[in-house]
Amino acid sequence: MNSGGARTIIGLEVHVQLNTASKLFCPCPTDASGPNTAVCGTCLGLPGSKPFLNQKAVEMAVRVALALNCRLNAEFFFSRKTYFYPDLAKNYQITQFEKPVGENGFVALSSGKKIRIRRLQLEEDPASLVHEGSAQSSSFSLVDYNRSGIPLVEIVTMPDMDGPKEAREFLNALTVTLDYLGVFVHGKNALKADANISIEGNNRVEVKNVTGFRAVETALLSEDERQRKIIAMGEKVARETRGFDEKTGSTFSMREKEAEEDYGYIFEPDIPVVSLSEEYIAGLKESLPELFPQKVEKFKKLGLPDYDARVIASEPVIAGIFEQAIKHVKPQTAAKFLTREVMGILNYNKITPREAGLEEKPIVELLKMIEGGRVGEKNAKEAMIKLVLEKKDPREFLEKSDLLLDLDEKEILKALEEVLAENPHAVADLRASKAKAVNFIVGQVVRRTKGKANAKIVQEMLAKKIKGI
Ligand code: ZN
Ligand code: MN
C-alpha cells in the first residue's frame, strides 16, 4: 500500500503542570531543587497516609476547562489508576476516569480549524526516573519523588490534527491560553505529551512520555517518517506503544498497546466527591482574563492588521508591553516596532520574550523616542538589541553613544544644501521626479550628519526645496 497522499492523523494527550505553590494532595512545595527534598508520607505513598485535595489546583483546572470551551462537570470525583512501576510508590495514580473536570471543548487554530478536546482531567504527576545512560539501555535508574504529586491537567484531544505541524500549532495555541490564565509553569517539565499517530487507513501507534515542545514535534516528525517508510515497503505498521529517545531523536518499541480498561480503575475513597456551586462557577467565569481571541479582536479595533494583531496576541509578554505602550504612543508605532524589531531580535537569538526578561518601561520609553522623532529606526533597533542581550537601558545607550536625532533644523538645512550642491545628477533626477533620488539625497544627509538628522524632517525640507528647483 502506498502512503503517498494519505493523511497523517494525530491525537494528543497533553500533561501540563499547574502553577500551584503546593502539590495536589499534600502540602509539599512544588519548587524544590535537590532530589527527594520535597516529600512526605502522602507523596511517598506510605501506608496510612491520606490525600487532601488542593483547592487552588481545582480552581485552576476549572478555569482552564472554561478557557478551552469545555462543558464543566459540576460534580466530579477521583479514581485510582493501577499500575506497577518505580515512579509510582502507591502502585496507583490518583487521576480521573469516569467524571473528569471538563469534557467536549476545543482549541481554535489561526486557520479557524477547531481541534476538539475530548476531556480535561486533574491528576497527580508520578515521580521522575533518572536513567543512567540512554532510556533504552540503562544499567540503573534513580527515582526523584519531588515530582510525585505535582498537580497536572491532562488534556485529551480528538484525533483532529493533520500532521506534526498542526500538532505544534495546537500546542502553541494551548500554551498561549494557559499563559494568559497565569497557570502555566515555564521550564523543562512544563509540558509532557503522549501522541497517537497513524497514517490514514493504517494501525495507530502511541508515542509515550515526550517532554517539551520541541521533543513532541521531533517525535511526531520521526514517527510519521518511520510509518510512511514501512507502508512504502509494503509492510504493516504494528499497533504498539513506543518511547522517544531525545538523544537519537527517534522512537523505539516498548510494548504492545494496552487498553484503558487494563488499568483497572477504581473509585478513590479517600477524596470526597467535588461539587461546584453555580456561584463558584459563575465567579470563575467572570474572572477569566482576556484570552487570545479577545486580544486579537481588541487589537484589530485599534486599527492593526489581522496578522499583526495575531502576532502580538500570541505572545502574552509582548501583548502586555503593547497594551502599556499604546497609552503613550500610536498603536501602529508600537505594533510595527514590536512585531518587526523586538520579535525579530528575539527570534534571531532564539529566546522567548519571557526568557529575555522584557520589561514594559524601557521599551515604552524607546517607543516614545521613536514616535517623537528623537531616534532613527536603525539606532532604535540597535538600542533594542542592547536591551535584550546586555540589559542596557535604551535611553542611556543612545545618549552615551551619541545616537539621538538632536540636530536642529538650521543644521539639517545646511547639510541638505551641501549634499544637493555636491550631487547635481541627483538634482536632475529630482526634477524628473524620481523617487529613488529622494531616498538617495535623504540618505546622504543622514550620513553626513552621522545619523543625527531626523530623516522625516530632511524629507519634508527636501519636498519644499523640490518645488523651488
Ligand atoms: Zn508530600
Ligand atoms: Mn495522565
Side-chain angles (χ1 to χ4, degrees):
M1 187 181 169
N2 194 319
S3 65
R7 207 161 61 93
T8 303
I9 303 168
I10 295 172
L12 292 174
E13 295 177 16
V14 188
H15 291 87
V16 211
Q17 180 177 345
L18 293 173
N19 191 14
T20 57
S22 58
K23 292 186 181 180
L24 187 52
F25 301 119
C26 63
C28 292
T30 51
D31 61 352
S33 48
N36 293 306
T37 50
V39 291
C40 70
T42 301
C43 54
L44 284 173
L46 299 188
S49 60
K50 290 271 187 266
F52 291 91
L53 182 58
N54 182 336
Q55 217 178 325
K56 197 76 196 166
V58 171
E59 183 188 308
M60 287 183 185
V62 172
R63 292 174 75 230
V64 175
L66 288 170
L68 298 183
N69 313 292
C70 288
R71 181 175 59 72
L72 280 185
N73 283 319
E75 263 192 5
F76 55 78
F77 56 87
F78 290 85
S79 293
R80 296 177 173 184
K81 176 179 179 175
T82 308
Y83 70 90
F84 180 79
Y85 207 60
D87 66 1
L88 201 63
K90 303 191 293 293
N91 287 344
Y92 60 82
Q93 178 195 25
I94 305 180
T95 176
Q96 298 190 290
F97 185 56
E98 297 85 347
K99 271 215 165 187
V101 174
E103 293 176 88
N104 299 330
F106 66 85
V107 167
L109 304 182
S110 59
S111 61
K113 177 175 174 178
K114 285 177 181 170
I115 305 300
R116 291 168 296 163
I117 290 168
R118 196 153 64 82
R119 51 189 282 131
L120 181 148
Q121 68 193 32
L122 192 52
E123 64 182 35
E124 59 176 341
D125 205 2
S128 42
L129 292 179
V130 183
H131 301 288
E132 175 64 19
S134 83
Q136 291 169 73
S137 60
S138 48
S139 51
F140 65 90
S141 298
L142 302 165
V143 192
D144 181 359
Y145 285 94
N146 283 352
R147 285 207 68 81
S148 170
I150 295 271
L152 305 177
V153 275
E154 178 177 331
I155 295 154
V156 184
T157 77
M158 299 292 269
D160 284 350
M161 285 155 276
D162 287 348
K165 194 174 151 261
E166 216 166 71
R168 167 91 203 209
E169 254 188 80
F170 164 79
L171 291 177
N172 274 337
L174 174 67
T175 44
V176 168
T177 303
L178 297 173
D179 208 355
Y180 274 123
L181 290 171
V183 304
F184 192 53
V185 183
H186 299 263
K188 191 175 180 312
N189 283 311
L191 187 144
K192 269 188 235 169
D194 303 334
N196 283 299
I197 168 167
S198 63
I199 311 298
E200 198 170 18
N202 294 274
N203 271 332
R204 192 172 76 213
V205 169
E206 182 171 22
V207 184
K208 277 272 193 201
N209 279 327
V210 191
T211 302
F213 264 106
R214 196 155 301 161
V216 173
E217 199 179 17
T218 312
L220 288 173
L221 284 168
S222 99
E223 185 55 22
D224 186 38
E225 198 186 309
R226 188 190 69 88
Q227 292 183 19
R228 283 180 188 274
K229 268 188 195 152
I230 292 173
I231 297 164
M233 288 190 294
E235 287 165 28
K236 226 177 144 211
V237 176
R239 180 165 161 79
E240 61 177 348
T241 297
R242 298 179 69 85
F244 174 66
D245 192 334
E246 258 180 76
K247 291 200 179 84
T248 63
S250 58
T251 66
F252 59 92
S253 183
M254 284 167 80
R255 56 177 183 263
E256 281 178 24
K257 173 91 185 93
E258 71 287 336
E260 229 11 52
E261 302 79 59
D262 297 341
Y263 286 112
Y265 284 91
I266 56 165
F267 173 71
E268 166 59 70
D270 287 335
I271 303 170
V273 171
V274 179
S275 137
L276 310 174
S277 71
E278 270 175 45
E279 297 77 52
Y280 176 82
I281 296 170
L284 289 186
K285 260 187 198 158
E286 195 76 11
S287 74
L288 281 185
E290 279 178 335
L291 301 169
F292 179 79
Q294 290 97 46
K295 294 277 186 210
V296 171
E297 279 318 301
K298 189 170 152 190
F299 296 165
K300 278 163 78 175
K301 274 198 191 119
L302 291 168
L304 298 198
D306 183 69
Y307 180 80
D308 285 5
R310 284 176 181 280
V311 168
I312 293 174
S314 66
E315 286 287 355
V317 172
I318 299 288
I321 294 170
F322 176 75
E323 293 191 282
Q324 279 308 309
I326 58 174
K327 292 177 187 163
H328 307 276
V329 299
K330 287 196 209 97
Q332 284 73 11
T333 308
K336 189 177 162 202
F337 190 70
L338 288 171
T339 56
R340 297 200 197 154
E341 309 303 353
V342 178
M343 289 176 82
I345 293 164
L346 294 172
N347 289 341
Y348 180 78
N349 291 288
K350 294 195 171 62
I351 36 180
T352 65
R354 201 168 298 270
E355 285 163 355
L358 292 187
E359 283 170 25
E360 289 159 7
K361 214 175 144 240
I363 299 177
V364 173
E365 265 314 293
L366 183 56
L367 285 168
K368 283 203 266 186
M369 292 167 76
I370 294 170
E371 190 160 277
R374 299 264 295 130
V375 61
E377 276 180 30
K378 200 171 140 277
N379 289 332
K381 181 181 178 181
E382 201 55 40
M384 194 60 219
I385 293 173
K386 295 283 177 194
L387 175 65
V388 170
L389 300 181
E390 299 169 31
K391 302 264 171 277
K392 277 202 176 125
D393 182 67
R395 176 181 289 274
E396 247 180 72
F397 164 75
L398 291 167
E399 275 169 3
K400 275 197 188 134
S401 318
D402 201 19
L403 294 174
L404 289 175
L405 301 170
D406 47 10
L407 281 195
D408 65 21
E409 304 225 348
K410 236 173 76 190
E411 290 167 296
I412 295 175
L413 189 59
K414 186 169 158 270
L416 174 59
E417 275 163 355
E418 283 167 12
V419 168
L420 289 176
E422 286 167 19
N423 295 281
H425 61 283
V427 176
D429 284 349
L430 280 175
R431 280 204 195 91
S433 63
K434 285 188 185 161
K436 233 171 99 187
V438 173
N439 291 339
F440 172 75
I441 298 288
V442 173
Q444 289 297 312
V445 175
V446 170
R447 182 180 293 183
R448 179 171 296 252
T449 57
K450 297 191 174 63
K452 298 174 77 59
N454 186 333
K456 223 174 114 204
I457 297 176
V458 179
Q459 208 159 2
E460 284 162 10
M461 276 182 182
L462 183 58
K464 272 186 217 153
K465 278 219 168 275
I466 290 173
K467 282 182 196 155
I469 288 174

